[in-house]
Amino acid sequence: MPLAVFVLGLSVFALGTSEFMITGLLPGMAADLGVSIPDAGLLISAFAIGMVVGAPLLAIGTLRLPRRRTLLALLAVFFGAHVVGALSTGYALLFATRVIAALACAGFWAVAVATTIALVPVERRGRAMAVLVGGLTVANIAGVPAGTFIGQHAGWPTAFWAVAAVTLLAAAGVAALVPETTGGGMSVRTELRLYRRGRIWLALGVIALCQAMIFAAFSYLAPLLTETDGLPEAWVPGVLALFGVGALIGITAGGRLADRHPFATLYGCVGLALASLLVLALTTDAGVAVAAVLVFGAAGFGANPALNVRTYAVAGNAPTLVGASTTAAFNVGNTIGPWLGGVAIGAGLGFPSVAWTGIVLGAATLAALTVAVVVQRSDDRDREPISV
């Protein structure tokens, strides 16, 4: 595996820490900013909205630009957004910085995915994507719990300063170790043909539903565990780290299985996620809930490499836009999930309702995935059967 892929994974660690650490900071941020927990949860959706809008626009805008310099410019914007966010004292300005940071993150993801795919042969794409997405896993194991701990003891702005510092370190790694490449002369018109294919929209829909299933519950894990299951607030960083350990297990296994058995990997991971969500919805025992969080992390992130591999398999010759579209689809889920979870809480259904919301979204994911299997088998009827 090229060293540059690991460097990009390290960069994703900084991005992922910022994206996910809000989960552990929600109660404190809500109190400090004078807003409700569901409103504070919209800061997660704000980031996701920026990712959805920014990924395709920045992918097109940077299509012919040198990739390393583009990555560095986007990291600089990300850094600046966190500096302003750390200094902000109002909800509106903080919301705006989350959107700007997300735009930079979206562009970075789109370019980083295209760079990663270009650096490895087709048969190793699943493992390469597992390394890249592994940055998110490490963020959940180390970055998110650390950000939560820092926020609880030194205030949430300090967590933003910490992310800014890690971003500078990531930029140094990209400057030193990622080779300067371009999009290979691909035209925007050629890449836009990607959207004429119905199968790509189906693949993106599966991604969005699967991610919404995860984030409907994950975004509100802290209040769910403390208010419903009686977990002490001081234990929340450790439980989030446990989620990250599960994610590391899942993404490692998923990366190895995704290239050969994408559909089977997805069915297994979504089914396991549904089982863990059911436990979280029904239990009031902190120990049982913590065990379910571990399984939930493994299942949720185990699906990630297979989701990426499937999208590239049906995309053809549009490597930059498919990376952007995949990023946008993941973040459509990241937007819808917390929003639906917040709606359920706001309706007075209690914090366990976020797990039930995830269960409904998981059932929709399985339905969409089954349609994708049927379409794939129909298209390949006269070819070699697909591996499931």
Side-chain angles (χ1 to χ4, degrees), residues 8-323:
L8 292 172
L10 174 63
S11 302
V12 168
F13 166 77
L15 308 181
T17 296
S18 174
E19 182 172 5
F20 298 134
M21 72 179 181
I22 300 297
T23 298
L25 301 175
L26 277 183
M29 293 184 75
D32 192 33
L33 296 169
V35 298
S36 67
I37 285 181
D39 284 343
L42 290 178
L43 292 171
I44 301 172
S45 295
F47 198 99
I49 290 169
M51 292 281 284
V52 171
V53 174
L57 292 180
L58 287 170
I60 293 173
T62 62
L63 187 61
R64 296 180 179 274
L65 298 179
R67 285 177 175 162
R68 183 176 62 189
R69 276 177 276 179
T70 301
L71 292 170
L72 289 172
L74 292 167
L75 286 174
V77 173
F78 191 79
F79 169 82
H82 281 78
V83 170
V84 175
L87 296 172
S88 64
T89 57
Y91 180 80
L93 179 58
L94 184 60
F95 192 97
T97 66
R98 296 302 289 167
V99 175
I100 293 171
L103 290 171
C105 182
F108 188 95
W109 261 109
V111 179
V113 169
T115 302
T116 299
I117 293 298
L119 290 172
V120 297
V122 173
E123 65 273 11
R124 294 185 65 84
R125 284 180 174 177
R127 294 192 181 187
M129 288 305 303
V131 171
L132 186 67
V133 180
L136 292 180
T137 307
V138 177
N140 279 286
I141 294 173
V144 173
T148 302
F149 181 83
I150 292 170
Q152 288 178 345
H153 292 82
W156 61 264
T158 307
F160 277 64
W161 284 113
V163 169
V166 175
T167 302
L168 285 179
L169 181 63
V174 170
L177 297 170
V178 174
E180 186 67 279
T181 59
T182 64
M186 187 73 66
S187 70
V188 173
R189 179 177 297 180
T190 299
E191 294 236 358
L192 284 174
R193 291 173 186 166
L194 165 72
Y195 298 116
R196 297 180 182 177
R197 304 166 190 162
R199 287 169 60 189
I200 191 65
W201 289 108
L202 184 56
L204 295 174
V206 171
I207 290 174
L209 286 170
C210 185
Q211 199 74 350
M213 170 192 69
I214 296 166
F215 272 79
F218 177 77
S219 300
Y220 300 97
L221 271 183
L224 173 62
L225 293 169
T226 57
E227 300 294 331
T228 302
D229 302 317
L231 189 78
E233 185 176 345
W235 290 19
V236 171
V239 176
L240 292 177
L242 191 65
F243 177 91
V245 170
L248 179 61
I249 295 170
I251 203 167
T252 301
R256 293 181 178 276
L257 295 171
D259 289 313
R260 293 186 178 182
H261 308 287
F263 284 121
T265 301
L266 289 172
Y267 273 116
C269 288
V270 174
L272 196 58
L274 285 172
S276 60
L277 283 169
L278 184 61
V279 172
L280 287 170
L282 296 176
T283 190
T284 56
D285 183 277
V288 174
V290 168
V293 168
L294 173 66
V295 176
F296 188 45
F301 276 77
N304 202 297
L307 291 170
N308 278 287
V309 166
R310 281 296 309 140
T311 309
Y312 272 92
V314 301
N317 60 339
T320 303
L321 269 187
V322 71

Side-chain angles (χ1 to χ4, degrees), residues 350-375:
F351 289 113
S353 64
V354 300
W356 288 113
T357 302
I359 289 170
V360 172
L361 290 165
T365 304
L366 288 177
L369 184 59
T370 300
V371 173
V373 171
V374 171
V375 171

